[in-house]
């Protein structure tokens, strides 16, 4: 099996204030050395991207903490009359190297379809950023035995037209909607089954070597207490963490477990 990078990202969603965002970034940057080879990404609310970027630059004497910055969402156009929106180039400008696209909250609350997610993923890649492309089924879909069909459709719609090279630069996040913010984490077996399905689909979309390179994160109620068993699964390469990423010690403890599972 190919050795893939381990990547744990914190999706802060619409939480914290300026001081809280800076303090959290500082605490994560200060403790990041304990996470070994596991790469860390922080995705603050867009209004706090710049202070978090500055904090990550300034923390640690070396001049850079090694913790990367990501957006939570973006518009696909580089500039123009799109009131309230943020472009890929603006994210690059403030120091982002990643951006989440197609989070289930964007899909369900803001009407983002697979086609919108696909357009955004392409815009992210065109700007030289790495997209974290999210997919996942609802509880109803799982109960109806439609998990594989739903995720397969989301993957094929979200990745349409992406080349193997694009795919190799992308991260996929499997986030079952029923596990997000509910405290109900998928079992390692449930998550692994879907991750393996996604990797198989990536191999069909591109080729096996590319599929084996793609980092597939799990998201949905990841906590220090359950990260170890998830990290031990062969196709779970990292986590996209919501609630637990708002506490530096929990976020770092999750990343440490992914580092140790390598
Ligand atoms: P929780 O970790 O709070 O369940 O959120 C997961 C998530 O949506 C990360 O993007």
């Amino acid at each position: 099996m190919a050795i893939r990078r381990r990547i744990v990202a914190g999706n802060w969603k619409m939480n914290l204030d300026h001081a809280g965002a800076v303090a959290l970034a500082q605490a994560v940057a200060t403790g990041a050395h304990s996470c070994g080879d596991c790469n860390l990404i922080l995705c603050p609310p867009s209004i706090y991207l710049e202070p978090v970027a500055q904090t990550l630059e300034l923390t640690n004497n070396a001049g850079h903490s090694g913790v990367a910055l990501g957006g939570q969402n973006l518009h696909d156009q580089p500039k123009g009359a799109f009131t309230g929106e943020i472009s890929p180039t603006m994210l690059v400008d403030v120091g982002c190297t990643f951006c989440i696209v197609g989070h289930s909250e964007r899909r369900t609350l803001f009407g983002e379809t697979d086609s919108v997610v696909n357009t955004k993923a392409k815009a992210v890649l065109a700007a030289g950023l790495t997209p974290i492309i999210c997919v996942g089924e609802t509880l109803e879909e799982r109960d109806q035995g439609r998990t594989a069909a739903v995720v397969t459709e989301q993957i094929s719609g979200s990745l349409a037209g992406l080349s193997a090279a694009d795919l190799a630069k992308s991260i996929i996040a499997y986030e079952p909607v029923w596990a997000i913010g509910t405290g109900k984490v998928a079992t390692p077996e449930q998550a692994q089954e879907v991750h393996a399905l996604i990797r198989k689909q990536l191999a069909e979309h591109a080729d096996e070597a590319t599929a084996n390179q793609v980092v597939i994160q799990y998201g949905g109620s990841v906590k220090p207490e359950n990260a170890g068993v998830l990290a031990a699964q062969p196709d779970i390469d990292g986590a996209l963490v919501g609630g637990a990423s708002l506490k530096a010690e929990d976020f770092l403890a999750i990343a440490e477990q992914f580092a140790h599972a390598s």
Side-chain angles (χ1 to χ4, degrees), residues 93-124:
D93 198 23
V94 296
C96 289
T97 43
F98 294 84
C99 188
I100 299 170
V101 293
H103 190 279
S104 77
E105 286 146 22
R106 300 293 320 167
R107 290 176 183 264
T108 56
L109 303 173
F110 302 97
E112 290 191 8
T113 60
D114 288 331
S115 153
V116 169
V117 175
N118 181 241
T119 306
K120 289 189 175 191
K122 286 175 177 159
V124 171

mmCIF file of all heavy atoms in Angstrom, residues 93-124:
data_model
loop_
_atom_site.group_PDB
_atom_site.id
_atom_site.type_symbol
_atom_site.label_atom_id
_atom_site.label_comp_id
_atom_site.label_asym_id
_atom_site.label_seq_id
_atom_site.Cartn_x
_atom_site.Cartn_y
_atom_site.Cartn_z
ATOM 1 N N ASP A 93 -3.958 35.203 -1.756
ATOM 2 C CA ASP A 93 -3.358 36.472 -1.342
ATOM 3 C C ASP A 93 -3.129 36.544 0.177
ATOM 4 O O ASP A 93 -2.147 37.122 0.635
ATOM 5 C CB ASP A 93 -4.302 37.599 -1.800
ATOM 6 C CG ASP A 93 -3.625 38.936 -1.837
ATOM 7 O OD1 ASP A 93 -2.387 38.957 -1.942
ATOM 8 O OD2 ASP A 93 -4.330 39.953 -1.744
ATOM 9 N N VAL A 94 -4.041 35.980 0.958
ATOM 10 C CA VAL A 94 -3.870 36.048 2.419
ATOM 11 C C VAL A 94 -3.126 34.837 2.990
ATOM 12 O O VAL A 94 -2.997 34.705 4.204
ATOM 13 C CB VAL A 94 -5.208 36.246 3.183
ATOM 14 C CG1 VAL A 94 -5.831 37.584 2.836
ATOM 15 C CG2 VAL A 94 -6.178 35.103 2.952
ATOM 16 N N GLY A 95 -2.665 33.957 2.103
ATOM 17 C CA GLY A 95 -1.799 32.876 2.595
ATOM 18 C C GLY A 95 -2.428 31.496 2.652
ATOM 19 O O GLY A 95 -1.845 30.566 3.213
ATOM 20 N N CYS A 96 -3.624 31.350 2.065
ATOM 21 C CA CYS A 96 -4.235 30.012 2.058
ATOM 22 C C CYS A 96 -3.539 29.102 1.047
ATOM 23 O O CYS A 96 -3.101 29.556 -0.015
ATOM 24 C CB CYS A 96 -5.708 30.092 1.643
ATOM 25 S SG CYS A 96 -6.760 30.829 2.880
ATOM 26 N N THR A 97 -3.486 27.837 1.389
ATOM 27 C CA THR A 97 -3.034 26.850 0.413
ATOM 28 C C THR A 97 -4.096 25.756 0.208
ATOM 29 O O THR A 97 -3.924 24.877 -0.629
ATOM 30 C CB THR A 97 -1.684 26.206 0.832
ATOM 31 O OG1 THR A 97 -1.728 25.902 2.228
ATOM 32 C CG2 THR A 97 -0.527 27.154 0.587
ATOM 33 N N PHE A 98 -5.182 25.839 0.973
ATOM 34 C CA PHE A 98 -6.270 24.856 0.873
ATOM 35 C C PHE A 98 -7.612 25.595 0.854
ATOM 36 O O PHE A 98 -7.697 26.736 1.305
ATOM 37 C CB PHE A 98 -6.271 23.918 2.097
ATOM 38 C CG PHE A 98 -5.062 23.033 2.181
ATOM 39 C CD1 PHE A 98 -3.868 23.493 2.747
ATOM 40 C CD2 PHE A 98 -5.105 21.736 1.699
ATOM 41 C CE1 PHE A 98 -2.744 22.680 2.819
ATOM 42 C CE2 PHE A 98 -3.981 20.913 1.772
ATOM 43 C CZ PHE A 98 -2.807 21.391 2.332
ATOM 44 N N CYS A 99 -8.644 24.917 0.386
ATOM 45 C CA CYS A 99 -10.008 25.438 0.579
ATOM 46 C C CYS A 99 -10.992 24.270 0.583
ATOM 47 O O CYS A 99 -10.924 23.389 -0.279
ATOM 48 C CB CYS A 99 -10.390 26.434 -0.516
ATOM 49 S SG CYS A 99 -11.965 27.246 -0.151
ATOM 50 N N ILE A 100 -11.865 24.277 1.570
ATOM 51 C CA ILE A 100 -12.935 23.267 1.632
ATOM 52 C C ILE A 100 -13.968 23.615 0.557
ATOM 53 O O ILE A 100 -14.315 24.787 0.388
ATOM 54 C CB ILE A 100 -13.628 23.307 3.021
ATOM 55 C CG1 ILE A 100 -12.620 22.993 4.135
ATOM 56 C CG2 ILE A 100 -14.807 22.341 3.073
ATOM 57 C CD1 ILE A 100 -13.162 23.254 5.554
ATOM 58 N N VAL A 101 -14.433 22.621 -0.171
ATOM 59 C CA VAL A 101 -15.552 22.854 -1.091
ATOM 60 C C VAL A 101 -16.604 21.766 -0.909
ATOM 61 O O VAL A 101 -16.284 20.612 -0.646
ATOM 62 C CB VAL A 101 -15.125 22.936 -2.584
ATOM 63 C CG1 VAL A 101 -14.286 24.168 -2.862
ATOM 64 C CG2 VAL A 101 -14.394 21.699 -3.040
ATOM 65 N N GLY A 102 -17.863 22.180 -1.023
ATOM 66 C CA GLY A 102 -18.959 21.213 -0.969
ATOM 67 C C GLY A 102 -19.211 20.623 0.398
ATOM 68 O O GLY A 102 -19.749 19.512 0.519
ATOM 69 N N HIS A 103 -18.863 21.351 1.458
ATOM 70 C CA HIS A 103 -19.221 20.864 2.797
ATOM 71 C C HIS A 103 -20.736 20.639 2.845
ATOM 72 O O HIS A 103 -21.497 21.362 2.211
ATOM 73 C CB HIS A 103 -18.798 21.889 3.858
ATOM 74 C CG HIS A 103 -18.926 21.357 5.246
ATOM 75 N ND1 HIS A 103 -20.131 21.341 5.909
ATOM 76 C CD2 HIS A 103 -18.026 20.777 6.075
ATOM 77 C CE1 HIS A 103 -19.952 20.781 7.106
ATOM 78 N NE2 HIS A 103 -18.690 20.434 7.221
ATOM 79 N N SER A 104 -21.158 19.663 3.629
ATOM 80 C CA SER A 104 -22.600 19.330 3.632
ATOM 81 C C SER A 104 -23.458 20.526 4.064
ATOM 82 O O SER A 104 -24.599 20.665 3.634
ATOM 83 C CB SER A 104 -22.879 18.126 4.516
ATOM 84 O OG SER A 104 -22.847 18.500 5.864
ATOM 85 N N GLU A 105 -22.872 21.411 4.902
ATOM 86 C CA GLU A 105 -23.651 22.601 5.285
ATOM 87 C C GLU A 105 -23.821 23.541 4.097
ATOM 88 O O GLU A 105 -24.840 24.211 3.966
ATOM 89 C CB GLU A 105 -22.971 23.294 6.482
ATOM 90 C CG GLU A 105 -23.191 22.494 7.767
ATOM 91 C CD GLU A 105 -22.040 22.536 8.752
ATOM 92 O OE1 GLU A 105 -21.219 23.471 8.705
ATOM 93 O OE2 GLU A 105 -21.954 21.598 9.581
ATOM 94 N N ARG A 106 -22.832 23.590 3.209
ATOM 95 C CA ARG A 106 -22.966 24.392 1.976
ATOM 96 C C ARG A 106 -23.989 23.718 1.053
ATOM 97 O O ARG A 106 -24.794 24.388 0.394
ATOM 98 C CB ARG A 106 -21.633 24.502 1.234
ATOM 99 C CG ARG A 106 -20.480 25.136 1.966
ATOM 100 C CD ARG A 106 -20.637 26.593 2.269
ATOM 101 N NE ARG A 106 -21.234 27.372 1.225
ATOM 102 C CZ ARG A 106 -21.690 28.626 1.413
ATOM 103 N NH1 ARG A 106 -21.596 29.216 2.596
ATOM 104 N NH2 ARG A 106 -22.229 29.286 0.424
ATOM 105 N N ARG A 107 -23.953 22.396 1.013
ATOM 106 C CA ARG A 107 -24.864 21.686 0.121
ATOM 107 C C ARG A 107 -26.308 21.831 0.598
ATOM 108 O O ARG A 107 -27.204 22.133 -0.185
ATOM 109 C CB ARG A 107 -24.484 20.198 0.048
ATOM 110 C CG ARG A 107 -23.167 19.901 -0.689
ATOM 111 C CD ARG A 107 -22.846 18.414 -0.608
ATOM 112 N NE ARG A 107 -21.580 18.042 -1.215
ATOM 113 C CZ ARG A 107 -21.435 17.575 -2.466
ATOM 114 N NH1 ARG A 107 -22.485 17.419 -3.232
ATOM 115 N NH2 ARG A 107 -20.249 17.241 -2.920
ATOM 116 N N THR A 108 -26.545 21.636 1.911
ATOM 117 C CA THR A 108 -27.931 21.606 2.377
ATOM 118 C C THR A 108 -28.469 23.006 2.699
ATOM 119 O O THR A 108 -29.615 23.296 2.393
ATOM 120 C CB THR A 108 -28.097 20.700 3.617
ATOM 121 O OG1 THR A 108 -27.208 21.160 4.625
ATOM 122 C CG2 THR A 108 -27.789 19.254 3.318
ATOM 123 N N LEU A 109 -27.650 23.871 3.296
ATOM 124 C CA LEU A 109 -28.164 25.187 3.715
ATOM 125 C C LEU A 109 -28.037 26.235 2.617
ATOM 126 O O LEU A 109 -28.753 27.232 2.625
ATOM 127 C CB LEU A 109 -27.416 25.675 4.965
ATOM 128 C CG LEU A 109 -27.450 24.758 6.184
ATOM 129 C CD1 LEU A 109 -26.535 25.274 7.282
ATOM 130 C CD2 LEU A 109 -28.884 24.635 6.700
ATOM 131 N N PHE A 110 -27.093 26.035 1.696
ATOM 132 C CA PHE A 110 -26.852 27.057 0.675
ATOM 133 C C PHE A 110 -27.020 26.512 -0.742
ATOM 134 O O PHE A 110 -26.591 27.144 -1.704
ATOM 135 C CB PHE A 110 -25.455 27.683 0.875
ATOM 136 C CG PHE A 110 -25.300 28.299 2.242
ATOM 137 C CD1 PHE A 110 -24.685 27.596 3.269
ATOM 138 C CD2 PHE A 110 -25.823 29.558 2.528
ATOM 139 C CE1 PHE A 110 -24.564 28.140 4.546
ATOM 140 C CE2 PHE A 110 -25.705 30.115 3.795
ATOM 141 C CZ PHE A 110 -25.080 29.402 4.813
ATOM 142 N N GLY A 111 -27.642 25.366 -0.844
ATOM 143 C CA GLY A 111 -28.067 24.842 -2.145
ATOM 144 C C GLY A 111 -26.958 24.484 -3.120
ATOM 145 O O GLY A 111 -27.165 24.538 -4.329
ATOM 146 N N GLU A 112 -25.776 24.125 -2.623
ATOM 147 C CA GLU A 112 -24.692 23.784 -3.550
ATOM 148 C C GLU A 112 -24.884 22.374 -4.099
ATOM 149 O O GLU A 112 -24.925 21.399 -3.353
ATOM 150 C CB GLU A 112 -23.324 23.921 -2.857
ATOM 151 C CG GLU A 112 -22.988 25.365 -2.580
ATOM 152 C CD GLU A 112 -21.537 25.573 -2.145
ATOM 153 O OE1 GLU A 112 -20.719 24.632 -2.190
ATOM 154 O OE2 GLU A 112 -21.235 26.711 -1.747
ATOM 155 N N THR A 113 -25.001 22.295 -5.399
ATOM 156 C CA THR A 113 -25.149 21.000 -6.081
ATOM 157 C C THR A 113 -23.765 20.444 -6.416
ATOM 158 O O THR A 113 -22.751 21.142 -6.309
ATOM 159 C CB THR A 113 -25.910 21.205 -7.398
ATOM 160 O OG1 THR A 113 -25.125 22.119 -8.184
ATOM 161 C CG2 THR A 113 -27.293 21.795 -7.165
ATOM 162 N N ASP A 114 -23.738 19.205 -6.891
ATOM 163 C CA ASP A 114 -22.461 18.615 -7.317
ATOM 164 C C ASP A 114 -21.819 19.463 -8.410
ATOM 165 O O ASP A 114 -20.601 19.593 -8.476
ATOM 166 C CB ASP A 114 -22.680 17.185 -7.839
ATOM 167 C CG ASP A 114 -22.985 16.215 -6.710
ATOM 168 O OD1 ASP A 114 -22.524 16.446 -5.580
ATOM 169 O OD2 ASP A 114 -23.702 15.224 -6.966
ATOM 170 N N SER A 115 -22.663 20.038 -9.260
ATOM 171 C CA SER A 115 -22.124 20.846 -10.351
ATOM 172 C C SER A 115 -21.461 22.126 -9.827
ATOM 173 O O SER A 115 -20.394 22.534 -10.302
ATOM 174 C CB SER A 115 -23.276 21.117 -11.329
ATOM 175 O OG SER A 115 -23.082 22.277 -12.007
ATOM 176 N N VAL A 116 -22.069 22.749 -8.815
ATOM 177 C CA VAL A 116 -21.465 23.933 -8.185
ATOM 178 C C VAL A 116 -20.147 23.528 -7.512
ATOM 179 O O VAL A 116 -19.118 24.207 -7.636
ATOM 180 C CB VAL A 116 -22.429 24.562 -7.145
ATOM 181 C CG1 VAL A 116 -21.730 25.609 -6.297
ATOM 182 C CG2 VAL A 116 -23.652 25.148 -7.843
ATOM 183 N N VAL A 117 -20.190 22.413 -6.808
ATOM 184 C CA VAL A 117 -18.994 21.923 -6.106
ATOM 185 C C VAL A 117 -17.875 21.666 -7.125
ATOM 186 O O VAL A 117 -16.707 22.021 -6.913
ATOM 187 C CB VAL A 117 -19.319 20.640 -5.300
ATOM 188 C CG1 VAL A 117 -18.058 20.054 -4.659
ATOM 189 C CG2 VAL A 117 -20.380 20.935 -4.236
ATOM 190 N N ASN A 118 -18.248 21.084 -8.260
ATOM 191 C CA ASN A 118 -17.286 20.796 -9.324
ATOM 192 C C ASN A 118 -16.647 22.085 -9.861
ATOM 193 O O ASN A 118 -15.421 22.167 -10.023
ATOM 194 C CB ASN A 118 -18.032 20.035 -10.437
ATOM 195 C CG ASN A 118 -17.124 19.665 -11.586
ATOM 196 O OD1 ASN A 118 -17.334 20.080 -12.713
ATOM 197 N ND2 ASN A 118 -16.101 18.889 -11.313
ATOM 198 N N THR A 119 -17.474 23.094 -10.102
ATOM 199 C CA THR A 119 -16.960 24.380 -10.613
ATOM 200 C C THR A 119 -16.011 25.006 -9.595
ATOM 201 O O THR A 119 -14.954 25.539 -9.948
ATOM 202 C CB THR A 119 -18.143 25.343 -10.888
ATOM 203 O OG1 THR A 119 -19.050 24.670 -11.733
ATOM 204 C CG2 THR A 119 -17.689 26.620 -11.542
ATOM 205 N N LYS A 120 -16.393 24.938 -8.331
ATOM 206 C CA LYS A 120 -15.546 25.514 -7.277
ATOM 207 C C LYS A 120 -14.229 24.734 -7.150
ATOM 208 O O LYS A 120 -13.163 25.332 -6.982
ATOM 209 C CB LYS A 120 -16.293 25.532 -5.938
ATOM 210 C CG LYS A 120 -17.419 26.557 -5.915
ATOM 211 C CD LYS A 120 -18.005 26.710 -4.519
ATOM 212 C CE LYS A 120 -19.044 27.840 -4.510
ATOM 213 N NZ LYS A 120 -19.455 28.195 -3.156
ATOM 214 N N ALA A 121 -14.313 23.406 -7.220
ATOM 215 C CA ALA A 121 -13.091 22.594 -7.112
ATOM 216 C C ALA A 121 -12.125 22.964 -8.235
ATOM 217 O O ALA A 121 -10.909 23.099 -8.012
ATOM 218 C CB ALA A 121 -13.438 21.110 -7.161
ATOM 219 N N LYS A 122 -12.657 23.161 -9.425
ATOM 220 C CA LYS A 122 -11.800 23.536 -10.561
ATOM 221 C C LYS A 122 -11.184 24.913 -10.339
ATOM 222 O O LYS A 122 -10.013 25.140 -10.670
ATOM 223 C CB LYS A 122 -12.613 23.522 -11.859
ATOM 224 C CG LYS A 122 -12.912 22.110 -12.332
ATOM 225 C CD LYS A 122 -13.822 22.114 -13.546
ATOM 226 C CE LYS A 122 -14.045 20.691 -14.062
ATOM 227 N NZ LYS A 122 -15.248 20.580 -14.876
ATOM 228 N N ALA A 123 -11.966 25.839 -9.782
ATOM 229 C CA ALA A 123 -11.445 27.189 -9.515
ATOM 230 C C ALA A 123 -10.339 27.143 -8.459
ATOM 231 O O ALA A 123 -9.338 27.852 -8.555
ATOM 232 C CB ALA A 123 -12.585 28.103 -9.049
ATOM 233 N N VAL A 124 -10.524 26.301 -7.462
ATOM 234 C CA VAL A 124 -9.518 26.143 -6.404
ATOM 235 C C VAL A 124 -8.211 25.625 -7.010
ATOM 236 O O VAL A 124 -7.128 26.168 -6.768
ATOM 237 C CB VAL A 124 -10.031 25.169 -5.309
ATOM 238 C CG1 VAL A 124 -8.921 24.820 -4.335
ATOM 239 C CG2 VAL A 124 -11.207 25.780 -4.568
#
